[in-house]
C-alpha cells in the first residue's frame, strides 16, 4: 500500500490539516488508504489541546453522498480531528440546479392579494404589499418593501432565515417551520424583522439589521 | 365602440346590482346609452331594482341558446327614450346554463350599439363570475367598509388582474361617515391603501336607497338624496369629467353640528 503513490496527500497549514484526495484512484482504495493513514501517525496529535481542524479536498472526483458519509464517519471516530470544510469541484447537475434555485432572488412587483401565493426556493423580494390572505413561501429570506399583512413562511425546508418587512402586520409568520404568535404590539405596523433564535421566533426593529450577525443566519 | 365594464365584488350583498342600476340610469340621464346585462342566472334582481320585471319576455339564456333573437330579449326603459336597456337573466335556469363563448358573442354584438355595456356579475368567483368577466374590457369593484367585503374585493382584484383586467376602479358603498370618523368603520383612505386601486366613487349609506330600490326606481332619480348625488358623480367620472369626492362633513344633522360646536 505504502509502495504506491500516495492516494491521499496531507498538508499542514496554519488553519489545520488539509487532506487532498487523489481523484483518479478507486473509492475502495481511497477508503482503505484513509483508514491506514489515520491509523498510521495522526494519533500523535491527540491530547494536544482541542481537535485539529480538517479540510477535505476532493478535486475533480464526484463524491456520492454515501461515500462522503463513510469518510466523515472515519474522522468522527477520531476526536483529535474535526472536519471543518469539504471542498468539491464536481456536483451532480440536479444538485447544481437546486443550488441555483436556492441562490436566486425572486422579485415580485405589486400587491400580493388575498388568495395569491408567491413561492421560491431562494429569497423573495416583494416591492409592494402583502395583503391579508396573501401567502409568501420562500426557501430563503423574505423581504417586503411595503406592508406585510398576510402570511410569510421563510426558510421552508429547515434553513434559518429572516423575514424583513417595512411595515410588519403579518397574520402568520414562520421560519424553518417554527411559527410565531401574534406580532407584538411594539413592532406592529413598524419596520421590523423576525429571526429564529433558540427555537423561537424573535422580533427586532429594522435598525437592528445593521448589527446582525449574518453568519448565524446564513 | 362602447365601453364594456363588469361590476363585481366577490362578496354578496354589497350592492353590485343597485350600483349597476344607478350608474346605468345616471348615464342615461346624462344622455348616454347603456345596456345593463344581468348575469346572475337563477337569482335575477336587476329587473326588480329597475322596475322592469313585468316587461321581460325573453332572457339572456334564451338568446345564448338561440331560442330568441337578441333584439327580442332587450327590455327598453321608456323613461329615458330607450337609452337605458336591460338584458335580463333567466330565473328558472342555473349558472351552468350560460356558456362563456355565447356570452362573449352577445357582448360583442351589443358593444358597438351602445355607449356603455354594464355587466352585473353574480357574487362569488365561480363560473358565473368567470363568464361575466370574460366579456368585459374594464372592471369596477364594489365593496363596503367591512373587513370581509374588503378581503373579498382584494381577492377579486387579484383574479381580475390575472385575467388581464388591470387597474379596476373601486366604488365604496354604504359608507357611514360618522362611524368612519369615529374609527368604528374602516376609512376610505385605509380601503384605498389596502386595495391599491383607483377610487371611482363613494356612496354614503342612505335609507332612501332601500326605499327606492323596493319601489323599483333607482335612487339616482331622486335628486335630493346624497346617494343620488354620489351615483351621478360616479357616472360623470366615467365620462371623463373630474369631479371631486363629495364632502361628507357637510349636511350632517343639526345635532352633530351642535356637538361639534361644543367640541365633544
Amino acid at each position: 500500500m505504502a509502495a504506491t503513490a500516495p492516494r491521499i496527500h496531507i498538508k499542514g497549514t496554519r488553519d489545520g490539516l488539509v487532506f487532498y484526495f487523489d481523484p483518479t484512484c478507486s473509492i475502495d482504495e481511497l477508503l482503505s488508504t484513509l483508514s491506514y493513514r489515520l491509523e498510521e501517525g495522526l494519533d500523535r496529535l491527540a491530547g494536544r489541546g482541542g481537535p485539529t481542524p480538517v479540510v477535505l479536498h476532493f478535486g475533480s472526483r464526484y463524491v456520492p453522498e454515501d461515500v462522503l458519509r463513510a469518510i466523515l464517519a472515519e474522522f468522527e471516530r477520531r476526536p483529535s480531528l474535526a472536519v471543518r470544510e469539504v471542498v468539491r469541484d464536481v456536483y451532480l447537475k440536479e444538485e447544481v440546479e437546486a443550488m441555483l434555485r436556492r441562490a436566486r432572488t425572486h422579485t415580485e412587483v405589486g400587491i400580493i392579494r388575498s388568495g395569491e401565493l408567491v413561492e421560491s426556493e431562494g429569497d423573495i423580494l416583494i416591492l409592494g404589499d402583502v395583503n391579508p390572505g396573501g401567502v409568501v413561501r420562500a426557501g430563503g429570506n423574505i423581504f417586503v418593501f411595503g406592508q406585510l399583512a398576510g402570511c410569510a413562511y421563510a426558510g421552508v425546508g429547515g434553513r434559518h432565515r429572516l423575514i424583513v418587512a417595512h411595515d410588519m402586520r403579518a397574520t402568520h409568520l414562520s421560519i424553518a417551520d417554527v411559527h410565531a404568535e401574534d406580532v407584538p404590539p411594539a413592532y406592529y405596523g413598524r419596520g421590523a424583522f423576525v429571526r429564529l433564535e433558540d427555537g423561537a421566533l424573535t422580533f427586532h426593529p429594522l435598525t437592528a439589521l445593521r448589527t446582525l450577525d449574518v453568519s448565524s443566519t446564513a | 365602440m362602447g365601453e364594456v365594464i363588469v361590476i363585481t365584488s366577490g362578496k354578496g350583498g354589497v350592492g353590485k346590482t343597485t350600483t349597476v342600476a344607478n350608474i346605468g340610469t345616471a348615464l342615461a340621464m346624462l344622455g348616454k346609452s347603456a345596456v345593463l346585462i344581468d348575469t346572475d342566472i337563477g337569482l335575477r334582481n336587476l329587473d326588480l331594482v329597475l322596475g322592469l320585471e313585468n316587461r321581460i319576455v325573453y332572457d339572456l339564456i334564451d338568446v345564448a341558446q338561440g331560442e330568441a333573437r337578441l333584439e327580442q330579449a332587450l327590455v327598453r326603459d321608456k323613461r329615458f327614450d330607450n337609452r337605458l336597456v336591460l338584458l335580463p337573466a333567466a330565473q328558472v335556469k342555473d349558472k351552468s346554463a350560460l356558456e362563456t363563448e355565447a356570452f362573449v358573442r352577445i357582448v360583442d354584438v351589443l358593444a358597438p350599439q351602445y355607449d356603455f355595456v354594464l355587466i352585473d356579475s353574480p357574487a362569488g368567483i365561480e363560473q358565473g363570475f368567470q363568464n361575466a368577466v370574460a366579456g368585459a374590457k374594464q372592471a369596477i369593484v364594489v365593496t363596503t367598509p367591512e373587513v370581509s367585503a374588503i378581503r373579498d374585493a382584494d381577492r377579486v382584484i387579484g383574479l381580475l388582474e390575472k385575467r388581464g383586467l388591470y387597474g379596476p376602479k373601486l366604488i365604496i358603498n354604504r359608507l357611514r361617515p360618522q362611524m368612519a370618523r369615529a374609527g368604528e368603520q374602516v376609512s376610505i383612505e385605509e380601503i384605498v391603501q389596502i386595495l391599491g386601486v383607483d377610487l371611482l366613487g363613494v356612496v354614503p349609506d342612505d335609507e332612501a336607497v332601500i326605499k327606492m330600490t323596493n319601489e323599483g326606481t333607482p335612487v339616482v332619480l331622486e335628486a335630493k338624496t346624497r346617494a343620488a348625488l354620489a351615483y351621478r358623480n360616479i357616472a360623470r367620472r366615467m365620462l371623463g369629467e373630474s369631479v371631486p369626492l363629495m364632502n361628507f362633513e357637510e349636511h350632517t344633522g343639526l345635532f352633530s353640528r351642535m356637538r361639534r360646536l361644543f367640541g365633544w
Side-chain angles (χ1 to χ4, degrees):
Chain A
M1 188 70 66
T4 58
R7 303 289 181 214
I8 299 170
H9 187 72
I10 303 172
K11 211 171 143 186
T13 70
R14 196 190 305 156
D15 303 324
L17 293 174
V18 183
F19 282 63
Y20 293 95
F21 293 84
D22 184 351
T24 57
C25 69
S26 79
I27 282 169
D28 288 339
E29 270 183 288
L30 201 69
L31 286 172
S32 58
T33 312
L34 177 67
S35 59
Y36 168 74
R37 295 292 300 270
L38 288 175
E39 210 70 55
E40 188 190 41
L42 288 167
D43 281 341
R44 64 192 138 111
L45 284 167
R48 295 169 84 201
T52 312
V54 170
V55 179
L56 308 181
H57 268 269
F58 288 101
S60 57
R61 174 192 293 277
Y62 171 65
V63 193
E65 278 303 311
D66 52 329
V67 174
L68 184 62
R69 247 179 284 132
I71 292 172
L72 290 175
E74 199 71 49
F75 280 95
E76 269 162 35
R77 251 177 276 144
R78 289 168 177 81
S80 58
L81 299 173
V83 177
R84 187 172 55 84
E85 201 184 343
V86 178
V87 182
R88 311 149 68 181
D89 294 343
V90 183
Y91 288 90
L92 279 188
K93 186 163 168 269
E94 56 194 60
E95 287 175 339
V96 175
E97 280 167 351
M99 277 186 248
L100 281 175
R101 279 200 299 276
R102 281 203 293 272
R104 214 170 285 154
T105 299
H106 176 91
T107 308
E108 197 78 28
V109 183
I111 303 174
I112 310 305
R113 298 181 182 280
S114 174
E116 292 181 351
L117 168 67
V118 179
E119 245 179 327
S120 170
E121 287 180 42
D123 293 354
I124 296 181
L125 171 64
I126 310 258
L127 301 175
D129 297 341
V130 180
N131 276 357
V135 179
V136 183
R137 197 195 298 270
N141 305 296
I142 296 175
F143 308 101
V144 181
F145 275 31
Q147 197 177 78
L148 171 57
C151 307
Y153 308 118
V156 173
R159 291 190 287 164
H160 291 195
R161 296 289 138 149
L162 295 178
I163 300 173
V164 186
H166 179 70
D167 181 343
M168 180 69 82
R169 310 162 179 244
T171 24
H172 285 294
L173 287 169
S174 87
I175 298 176
D177 289 325
V178 177
H179 293 262
E181 298 293 312
D182 294 344
V183 179
Y187 295 101
Y188 189 87
R190 289 157 196 252
F193 72 92
V194 187
R195 65 185 294 200
L196 188 58
E197 280 171 309
D198 303 325
L201 296 193
T202 52
F203 290 79
H204 305 272
L206 271 191
T207 47
L209 272 177
R210 272 179 274 164
T211 52
L212 185 70
D213 178 14
V214 182
S215 61
S216 63
T217 43
Chain B
M1 194 69 179
E3 293 185 42
V4 183
I5 306 171
V6 62
I7 287 89
T8 185
S9 71
K11 188 177 181 297
V14 297
K16 279 182 298 298
T17 301
T18 312
T19 304
V20 172
N22 280 292
I23 293 177
T25 308
L27 287 168
M29 288 164 76
L30 291 165
K32 298 291 169 184
S33 62
V35 55
L36 317 183
I37 308 179
D38 189 351
T39 61
D40 204 349
I41 316 295
L43 292 168
R44 82 174 179 210
N45 294 146
L46 188 54
D47 52 324
L48 293 175
V49 180
L50 288 165
L52 297 172
E53 187 193 12
N54 52 14
R55 302 205 21 228
I56 295 175
V57 182
Y58 296 105
D59 56 49
L60 177 60
I61 299 296
D62 292 329
V63 178
Q65 296 181 341
E67 285 162 28
R69 282 179 293 113
L70 180 55
E71 284 304 308
Q72 292 176 300
L74 296 176
V75 181
R76 292 180 168 76
D77 194 329
K78 292 176 183 134
R79 287 171 288 195
F80 306 102
D81 300 333
N82 297 344
R83 281 199 306 276
L84 185 64
V85 177
L86 168 70
L87 179 54
Q91 183 66 316
V92 290
K93 311 256 172 50
D94 65 49
K95 288 184 175 99
S96 59
L98 183 61
E99 284 183 16
T100 310
E101 296 78 36
F103 180 68
V104 173
R105 256 197 323 275
I106 292 170
V107 172
D108 287 346
V109 173
L110 289 169
Q113 301 175 26
Y114 297 87
D115 296 323
F116 286 92
V117 179
L118 304 183
I119 303 168
D120 183 14
S121 149
I125 51 174
E126 296 84 15
Q127 192 54 46
F129 165 80
Q130 306 286 355
N131 283 342
V133 169
K137 303 284 182 292
Q138 297 171 56
I140 293 175
V141 174
V142 183
T143 188
T144 59
E146 294 159 39
V147 282
S148 50
I150 298 166
R151 184 72 60 92
D152 291 359
D154 190 40
R155 177 96 170 95
V156 158
I157 294 168
L159 293 173
L160 289 170
E161 285 173 348
K162 212 166 277 169
R163 305 194 57 141
L165 288 169
Y166 293 102
K169 301 282 186 281
L170 179 70
I171 292 179
I172 301 173
N173 200 10
R174 285 200 215 122
L175 184 87
R176 291 170 178 238
Q178 287 92 339
M179 285 186 77
R181 259 201 305 280
E184 295 160 348
Q185 198 177 46
V186 191
S187 71
I188 300 172
E189 292 75 23
E190 278 174 277
I191 297 172
V192 172
Q193 191 265 320
I194 293 171
L195 298 180
V197 293
D198 292 341
L199 186 62
L200 183 61
V202 180
V203 181
D205 199 20
D206 193 335
E207 284 175 13
V209 177
I210 303 168
K211 180 170 151 278
M212 304 278 293
T213 301
N214 288 338
E215 287 172 10
T217 319
V219 72
V220 71
L221 291 168
E222 189 69 58
K224 293 193 299 292
T225 62
R226 295 171 56 65
L229 178 61
Y231 283 122
R232 274 202 303 277
N233 285 348
I234 288 170
R236 285 167 62 196
R237 286 187 199 111
M238 287 170 71
L239 296 175
E241 276 184 58
S242 154
V243 186
L245 269 190
M246 74 164 92
N247 187 356
F248 293 105
E249 299 284 336
E250 283 172 356
H251 303 301
T252 43
L254 179 67
F255 177 70
S256 50
R257 251 183 289 164
M258 294 265 286
R259 199 162 68 163
R260 226 177 306 142
L261 199 64
F262 292 111
W264 103 97

